[in-house]
Amino acid sequence: MKKYSIGIDIGGTNTQTALVSESGEVLEKKVIKTKDYPNYTDYIDTLCEIINQYKESQKDIIGIGIGAPNANYYSGIIENAPNLIWKEDLYIAKDLQEKVNLKTKVTNDANAATVGEKIYGGAKDLSDFIMITLGTGLGSGFYVNNKLVYGFTGSAGELGHIIIEPNGRTCGCKKKGCLEAYCSASGLVKTYQEISYSVEANLTAADIYSKAKAGNISAAIAFDKFTDKLAVGVSNAILITSPEAVFIFGGLANAEEFVIEPLKEKVNSLLLANFRNKTKILKSSLPESDAAILGAASLVFEL
Ligand SMILES: [Zn+2]
């Protein structure tokens, strides 16, 4: 009998839910607006209604997996997430589990994507790999010896907040010089603006990619600086965990000629000789539209 999990991806704007089969079919996807629920209890009640509908349509649901910002795998708590409207600690795993009687696991969104890559993506047969999600920020997850690394606190794998430039740009976390401040969609836009003195409003990373493809020199330099920094972060990480592959996920992974290809070369040049040409750098094979849901749901199927 096919087993199912309920995947819940909690974001600042939307919360997506779906029934996900063990083999990765995403069914009955639903979206609610997270911001429509200033009261957390109302939010939980709505999630429970949705979960109960799933339980009616499918009898073989073995659990719930949640991906959310600042979610802690050990405690099941979402801790003070800056992008969510509720400011208190949210005991979301316990709250749902008690009401719908299904085992519930939570983790942060990047770790969920990492487990998703392992269960449904290109890392199925790998025991050691790194996942890097390039979006508004830079998230990451580390699989070592066939286990996702959670560390002592449950928050391990924050490659985005290693210091890449002492006293550099101020990061969203308030520290200075984090990798994320340079190697993220917003970091790329900022670098482009610094180089080109551009005052164009609402520039996005996709715009910079279009410009680079059209031969704009400032855009090409912005990508070059982007991969210089990312290569330092990635090569340092490779030296620590010796992964078989590094997967790059997110919109910027589609800019292969400006991100993935140069990254391969630059990372190699920064590694110790015995590490060179061993770790593959690949685009994630998770489908972008369902990656967050697959990642969340996969927590239930993870060994
Ligand atoms: Zn930071």
Side-chain angles (χ1 to χ4, degrees), residues 21-259:
S21 74
E22 234 171 337
S23 54
E25 296 155 278
V26 177
L27 310 164
E28 299 184 43
K29 207 162 153 180
K30 296 188 168 86
V31 181
I32 59 170
K33 295 248 170 271
T34 314
K35 283 185 179 148
D36 285 352
Y37 299 89
N39 184 334
Y40 168 71
T41 311
D42 294 341
Y43 177 74
I44 289 294
D45 287 344
T46 303
L47 283 184
C48 289
E49 275 170 37
I50 294 170
I51 292 163
N52 285 328
Q53 287 164 15
Y54 288 142
K55 283 174 83 178
E56 272 170 37
S57 72
Q58 183 50 251
K59 300 292 169 220
D60 292 302
I61 299 171
I62 57 168
I64 301 171
I66 302 175
N70 285 28
N72 189 305
Y73 180 77
Y74 292 148
S75 63
I77 302 174
I78 298 176
E79 296 158 336
N80 188 25
N83 297 330
L84 296 181
I85 37 180
W86 316 288
K87 291 303 157 215
E88 68 272 28
D89 281 351
L90 310 170
Y91 290 74
I92 190 146
K94 182 171 153 283
D95 293 342
L96 285 182
Q97 198 160 311
E98 277 176 3
K99 290 197 166 166
V100 297
N101 199 24
L102 280 171
K103 198 172 165 203
T104 304
K105 287 183 175 181
V106 307
T107 193
N108 78 45
D109 15 25
N111 278 341
T114 309
V115 181
E117 195 73 46
K118 169 73 184 168
I119 308 283
Y120 299 119
K124 273 185 193 133
D125 302 320
L126 308 188
S127 58
D128 296 85
F129 69 95
I130 300 173
M131 177 83 161
I132 295 179
T133 64
L134 295 176
T136 316
L138 186 156
S140 65
F142 290 70
Y143 238 83
V144 176
N145 300 338
N146 215 25
K147 274 206 161 69
L148 185 72
V149 177
Y150 284 108
F152 174 59
T153 57
S155 338
E158 289 286 4
L159 191 65
H161 300 283
I162 62 164
I163 309 280
I164 205 81
E165 189 75 57
N167 292 314
R169 270 185 201 165
T170 303
C171 178
C173 73
K174 308 269 189 327
K175 292 198 304 152
K176 284 187 172 195
C178 291
L179 185 64
E180 173 175 296
Y182 300 89
C183 299
S184 57
S186 49
L188 178 71
V189 170
K190 191 156 190 205
T191 304
Y192 171 78
Q193 287 169 329
E194 283 172 4
I195 297 165
S196 65
Y197 302 102
S198 164
V199 287
E200 287 169 81
N202 306 320
L203 264 181
T204 64
D207 296 332
I208 314 290
Y209 180 39
S210 304
K211 285 174 189 290
K213 274 195 294 188
N216 179 304
I217 302 290
S218 299
I221 296 172
F223 270 108
D224 194 39
K225 287 180 177 277
F226 181 98
T227 48
D228 279 351
K229 292 264 193 301
L230 190 56
V232 174
V234 169
S235 61
N236 285 342
I238 289 174
L239 290 176
I240 295 169
T241 68
S242 182
E244 190 172 342
V246 176
F247 293 90
I248 311 285
F249 173 83
L252 277 164
N254 297 325
E256 286 187 65
E257 70 273 47
F258 293 103
V259 175

